[in-house]
Amino acid sequence: MKGEKGITIIAPAPYKKMKEKEVLDENQRPIMGTDGKPKTEQVEVTVPHFKAVTVFDIAQTSGEPIQTLAPELLTAAVQDFDSFMQAIQKISPVPIRFDEIDGNANGYYHNADKEIVIKKGLSESQTLKTAIHETAHAKLHDREIMEILGVEKDRLTKEVEAAVGK
């Protein structure tokens, strides 16, 4: 919208160019031409490049709404759900319980109470996903263990680590 101030970021801006490259045989050795020099061919390569661009928060814009990326809840049933849930509870360093949770969270690891709470009423697949994610938090991000090790991590780092099971 007119008058809004953006922020400048470094954005990817790769470009393509033609480059001469030696032709190689199946053993990755250059093929020689009749003139005794290696044969070459023109190939298109993508060159990584960056440039400064101005970006705006979506609240600073007007127009047609754009699609946003929001995680969707899993809805599938899971064969042998009880066995999977028992396995997760067995490897979890803290108890797992089910309860009502206000807000958008499907579950959380409570550092002080040393427990995982999962929202009641989730599908089996969403329950398993949440249990695995929160168990990763309990194993990776226990406050006392992190203090002993002298490790500090911000919230986003913790979320990425729990999502990929670092």
Side-chain angles (χ1 to χ4, degrees), residues 27-96:
N27 296 319
Q28 301 303 309
R29 289 190 215 126
I31 296 176
M32 297 299 184
T34 55
D35 60 0
K37 295 181 182 175
K39 281 187 178 181
T40 61
E41 64 182 354
Q42 290 285 321
V43 294
E44 185 177 70
V45 295
T46 301
V47 179
H49 185 75
F50 296 87
K51 68 179 182 178
V53 297
T54 302
V55 296
F56 297 86
D57 184 271
I58 195 163
Q60 296 174 288
T61 66
S62 62
E64 293 294 318
I66 62 170
Q67 183 179 357
T68 57
L69 298 175
E72 293 184 23
L73 287 178
L74 302 175
T75 57
V78 176
Q79 187 176 355
D80 299 323
F81 169 79
D82 291 331
S83 297
F84 282 115
M85 201 60 216
Q86 287 174 4
I88 295 167
Q89 288 173 321
K90 199 172 197 175
I91 65 165
S92 175
V94 298
I96 298 174

Side-chain angles (χ1 to χ4, degrees), residues 93-148:
V94 298
I96 298 174
R97 70 179 176 87
F98 296 86
D99 205 346
E100 300 297 326
I101 298 177
D102 293 330
N104 295 331
N106 293 321
Y108 59 87
Y109 166 59
H110 197 286
N111 239 316
D113 293 345
K114 302 293 186 214
E115 70 174 356
I116 292 170
V117 180
I118 298 175
K119 183 187 271 187
K120 282 183 179 178
L122 296 175
S123 70
E124 291 177 342
S125 53
Q126 187 65 49
T127 297
L128 289 175
K129 179 216 173 266
T130 303
I132 292 166
H133 180 87
E134 298 307 331
T135 299
H137 276 305
K139 287 179 164 269
L140 296 171
H141 307 128
D142 181 79
R143 184 179 301 131
E144 292 167 9
I145 293 171
M146 289 178 69
E147 284 176 8
I148 290 168

